[in-house]
Each structure stands twice: as structure tokens, then as C-alpha cells.
Amino acid sequence: MFKGALLLLGAALLLSCNNTGNETDTKAVARVNNSYLYNEDLQNLVPAGTPKEDSIAIVKSYIDHWASQKLLYDAAEINLNKEKQEEFNNLIRQYKVDLYTSAYIEEIVKRSVDTLVTEEELKAYYTANKDNFRTTSPLVKLKYIRLDKDYPKFAAIKSKFLSGRKADVKSLNNIAIQFKSYAFNDTTWVDVNEVYRKLPFITPENFDKYVSSGISYQYPDSTNVYIVKIKKVLEKNQVSPFELIKPTLTQLIINNRKLELIKKFEKEITDDAIKNRKYEIYK
């Protein structure tokens, strides 16, 4: 389909190019001043199965865009002053240097950096930098069940839920399909926004009433009844729990290793260049 669209769109252009007697022109689909767009530049432009009309439109749009860019670039070269052009050329040269060196260093670091972080290293880093890891909102450890208001054997479910015995938790998990929603893992910290999502009757205005360490309660609404047990609450701006930020700590330690490795590599390559007289500073 692409070939058909290209042939239809480019026939007149190709015919006019043939009349110039220039061998290069005969292979082009379009020309702007001294720049040419060739068939190979348009390969894989149109997805397979694209209708004929759409194919033509896609190719035409691409060629028009290419032409606009070339015309604008040529105009810019004529109209921008020399100082501005030199400024841009310097930026381009620096960008190329940065792109190449960054890619090379990234490959070196990827092959060399040690990504294994021990528990001891994590705890040592956490202890030394605790003040940098403070909560931005309250965190909560809780569990809950949401049931139909007329759920049979409600008292038995509530008793097992509040007991804390592993056998009772297992028993509740076995019948969890009967609950509208639930969460039994109160060893994991959740953000306050997750609390609002799971327990929509809790709002920022009544948060302190329903979310406090060690409390348990049931809350009925028009169709549901919630059984909630709050294990622990960590207020905003407190030191974040170690277990919560372990992934962040791991990444920070690895990033620090990468930075040290880059510094070491840059020093070694410079020292080696001086030693082999590839780098000299003239006085």
C-alpha cells in the first residue's frame, strides 16, 4: 500500500526530475533547494493494511513537513546573524560530546557497578540519614472487612477478625470471597490516601476520630458495615519506617556507587592520558 501511495504521489515529481538530466534528481521524491528526499527515506512510514487514501495522506503529510523544515532551516541560515549561528553550533557540538560521553560512561558503569546491597549496608545508611527520610503524610497499619449490613453470623466474623490468632485469619481468608472487600495484612504501612480509598467514610476532617493507634470499631452505613482495627499510626513529618523505604535506600546506595565509579573512571582515564602523553597542559 505504501508503494502505491508513493507512486501516485511522486509520479509528477519523478517525471519532472527526469527532465533535469541530473542522475541524483531521478532518485528523489522531493527537493527543497539543494536538499533531496529519497524513496528510502519513506520506507516503513505507512503501516501495513492502511487504506489507499490514508496512505497517500500520510506520505503527503510527511513530505510537506520535511519540506517545511528544510525551508525554515534554509531561511534561518540566511537570516540569523553570525553570532547566533555560532552560539547554536557550539551548543550542537557540546550536545554531541555530552551524548557520546554519557552513553559511554553508562555502559562502563552498567558493566562494573555492584548492585548487591546487604541488609547491614541498608541499615547503616538509614541510621546515618534518618532526617532525610520523613513522611509527607500520615502512614497507617490497619486491617478491615466490609460486609453486607445483613450478613449472617456477623458476630462470629467480628470475633475472628479481632482475635488476632493465625488460625482465625486463615479461616477468614478461606471465606473472603463472601466479603465485599477486605485487608488482613496489618504489618504493611499504607498511605493516608489509601485509607480514604478503602474506607470512604473516613475523611481528612474526621481522620483523628477513626484512625488512632490501637483502636477497633465497626461502622455501618446504608448498605454496608465495616469492621476496622488500627494497629499503628505514624504522623506526618516523622522518620519513615525502615521497611517502607528499603527500595529507596537500595537505589540511593547504588546511585552513590555509580557516582563514585564515574569519578574514579574519569580520574583514571585522565591520569592514563597524562602518563601516555595524550594529554598535556601548556604553560
Side-chain angles (χ1 to χ4, degrees):
M1 185 58 67
F2 162 75
K3 289 182 178 179
L6 183 58
L7 288 172
L8 285 170
L9 185 61
L13 288 169
L14 290 172
L15 183 59
S16 64
C17 288
N18 282 335
N19 294 331
T20 66
N22 187 322
E23 183 61 25
T24 302
D25 291 357
T26 62
K27 300 177 183 178
V29 173
R31 177 185 66 81
V32 169
N33 296 324
N34 294 321
S35 298
Y36 293 86
L37 185 68
Y38 298 98
N39 287 329
E40 62 231 38
D41 298 322
L42 304 175
Q43 296 304 314
N44 303 316
L45 181 63
V46 180
T50 302
K52 180 178 177 180
E53 294 77 9
D54 293 341
S55 299
I56 294 172
I58 290 170
V59 174
K60 179 67 165 58
S61 176
Y62 182 89
I63 294 174
D64 286 344
H65 181 66
W66 171 85
S68 295
Q69 284 192 318
K70 291 295 181 184
L71 290 165
L72 286 169
Y73 181 80
D74 289 350
E77 282 193 312
I78 295 170
N79 293 287
L80 287 177
N81 61 53
K82 296 299 180 183
E83 291 77 13
K84 182 62 70 175
Q85 290 191 40
E86 186 57 28
E87 178 187 342
F88 289 155
N89 287 332
N90 288 334
L91 289 172
I92 291 167
R93 285 191 289 269
Q94 186 58 52
Y95 178 70
K96 181 178 180 180
V97 170
D98 292 342
L99 194 63
Y100 272 67
T101 54
S102 296
Y104 178 53
I105 289 174
E106 185 179 337
E107 286 300 316
I108 295 294
V109 169
K110 189 186 299 182
R111 293 198 299 264
S112 306
V113 70
D114 181 8
T115 57
L116 178 63
V117 182
T118 66
E119 191 79 1
E120 291 73 21
E121 287 176 299
L122 289 169
K123 288 180 178 178
Y125 190 89
Y126 175 72
T127 301
N129 298 277
K130 276 185 176 181
D131 284 340
N132 296 329
F133 306 114
R134 293 192 173 271
T135 58
T136 56
S137 61
L139 300 174
V140 185
K141 286 183 176 181
L142 61 79
K143 61 180 182 177
Y144 80 96
I145 298 178
R146 178 166 68 103
L147 304 165
D148 281 323
K149 201 166 188 178
D150 300 323
Y151 186 86
K153 300 181 180 179
F154 176 82
I157 294 297
K158 180 178 178 181
S159 176
K160 288 183 178 181
F161 176 81
L162 296 176
S163 76
R165 293 189 294 267
K166 290 183 179 180
D168 287 336
V169 174
K170 183 178 181 181
S171 175
L172 291 175
N173 269 308
N174 290 336
I175 61 171
I177 194 172
Q178 301 175 21
F179 310 146
K180 284 189 171 182
S181 63
Y182 65 93
F184 295 145
N185 184 7
D186 60 0
T187 63
T188 300
W189 291 102
V190 296
D191 183 81
V192 63
N193 292 313
E194 185 71 2
V195 174
Y196 296 148
R197 188 182 68 81
K198 290 180 175 181
L199 307 173
F201 62 89
I202 298 178
T203 66
E205 290 71 29
N206 64 23
F207 182 84
D208 291 337
K209 177 181 178 180
Y210 290 110
V211 183
S212 181
S213 295
I215 67 170
S216 58
Y217 56 86
Q218 64 187 60
Y219 179 90
D221 62 21
S222 58
T223 58
N224 307 293
V225 59
Y226 295 83
I227 312 173
V228 183
K229 185 171 184 178
I230 309 294
K231 184 176 181 180
K232 193 171 182 180
V233 179
L234 193 64
E235 299 296 336
K236 179 181 177 181
N237 203 35
Q238 300 299 304
V239 175
S240 296
F242 172 74
E243 63 269 25
L244 181 68
I245 61 169
K246 274 180 71 173
T248 301
L249 296 173
T250 300
Q251 195 57 54
L252 285 170
I253 290 173
I254 292 173
N255 287 342
N256 287 339
R257 289 176 182 175
K258 288 180 178 179
L259 291 174
E260 289 301 317
L261 191 60
I262 290 170
K263 289 180 183 178
K264 181 181 177 183
F265 177 66
E266 288 177 343
K267 184 178 186 307
E268 287 178 350
I269 199 171
T270 303
D271 291 345
D272 186 63
I274 293 172
K275 180 181 177 181
N276 293 288
R277 298 183 179 277
K278 293 181 180 179
Y279 169 38
E280 295 179 280
I281 298 177
Y282 299 116
K283 296 182 180 180

